[in-house]
Amino acid sequence: MGGPPAARGGGAGPPPPHADWIWSVENTLHIAVENTVNHAVNSVTWLIVGMNYYYATLHFVLTIGVLVWLYRWHPGRYAAARLALFATTGVALLGYYLFPLAPPRLMNGVDFVDTVLVHHTWGSMASGNLANVSNQYAAMPSMHIGWSTWCGVTIALLARPVWVRVLGALYPVATLVVIVATANHFWLDAVGGLLCLSFGFGLSFVWFRGFPHRLARHVAAEGAGPSGEAGTTAPSRG
């Protein structure tokens, strides 16, 4: 069952006040249930430990996997999808600089549980040497949501098996539950991640004159006619 009382990572200094402001806004909107979710899921040890490892691994593993899959099986769409992902990440980095935000687990005055420290799972960026080199206040926007939604949309639109497409669509939903349950993000951080992703796909659309899934699956051969040009063929799944 549940672990010991909430623990806090050290070495980050006093958190900026933005977390209090976000928490106040969420309370005003009656959506500030992160603390309830965090404590409820933390009471089920096997579930929260699994979520800790989910948070620490899939964010990178699945994103890289989707990039490799696109490069190998959808080369005509790879550049546009990659630009959307990179632009999303770029504008998120700007957000971290302009709006430093402590994650819920580092808030003062609210008893969130830092589930990684409490259950002694690896992946914490707030302890040990990582605390001195990582940005502890990079919660807004949530790139776990930005990247997972990019993966989910890409898989849902381009994969062939229905069950794979369904899993792709569910991936960002599961990620949303994980980031809240582990006290790494607020709901509004997820909204910020989606806004960044919208910017990324918008820039990709303007640059390539179409969304990635509407482009040709394969790069047109040199000298190919209009039917071989990217964006002129019907989308295919693979």
Side-chain angles (χ1 to χ4, degrees):
M1 296 298 289
R8 295 286 184 268
H18 296 142
D20 294 329
W21 181 80
I22 289 287
W23 189 240
S24 175
V25 169
E26 289 197 350
N27 274 282
T28 301
L29 297 174
H30 303 290
I31 61 173
V33 297
E34 291 93 333
N35 186 258
T36 301
V37 174
N38 173 234
H39 281 268
V41 178
N42 184 66
S43 67
V44 185
T45 301
W46 66 266
L47 180 58
I48 195 61
V49 167
M51 287 187 174
N52 284 343
Y53 288 123
Y54 177 116
Y55 185 88
T57 59
L58 287 191
H59 180 53
F60 301 103
V61 172
L62 195 53
T63 304
I64 293 172
V66 172
L67 280 170
V68 172
W69 173 65
L70 285 170
Y71 182 80
R72 178 65 180 84
W73 297 105
H74 297 266
R77 297 159 177 158
Y78 170 75
R82 180 189 61 190
L83 176 60
L85 179 65
F86 285 10
T88 297
T89 305
V91 74
L93 292 174
L94 182 62
Y96 299 150
Y97 176 77
L98 295 176
F99 194 79
L101 175 68
R105 58 184 171 78
L106 293 182
M107 278 189 70
N108 293 320
V110 185
D111 62 337
F112 282 102
V113 179
D114 189 331
T115 60
V116 170
L117 294 182
V118 165
H119 296 281
H120 309 291
T121 56
W122 57 266
S124 174
M125 302 295 286
S127 61
N129 293 331
L130 287 176
N132 298 320
V133 298
S134 61
N135 183 358
Q136 299 299 302
Y137 306 132
M140 170 66 85
S142 168
M143 276 300 91
H144 272 76
I145 291 299
W147 285 15
S148 66
T149 305
W150 176 86
C151 290
V153 168
T154 301
I155 293 170
L157 292 176
L158 295 179
R160 180 172 296 164
V162 174
W163 67 270
V164 175
R165 291 156 57 189
V166 170
L167 287 179
L170 291 176
Y171 174 48
V173 178
T175 300
L176 177 61
V177 175
V178 167
I179 66 173
V180 171
T182 57
N184 279 294
H185 289 283
F186 299 97
W187 297 120
L188 291 182
D189 298 344
V191 174
L194 293 178
L195 291 175
C196 290
L197 182 64
S198 298
F199 170 82
F201 273 120
L203 179 62
S204 177
F205 178 85
V206 171
W207 189 268
F208 288 93
R209 293 178 293 178
F211 290 112
H213 73 283
R214 298 299 304 177
L215 304 179
R217 179 174 181 176
H218 298 284
V219 179
E222 186 176 353
S227 62
E229 295 177 358
T232 60
T233 60
S236 58
R237 299 183 185 278

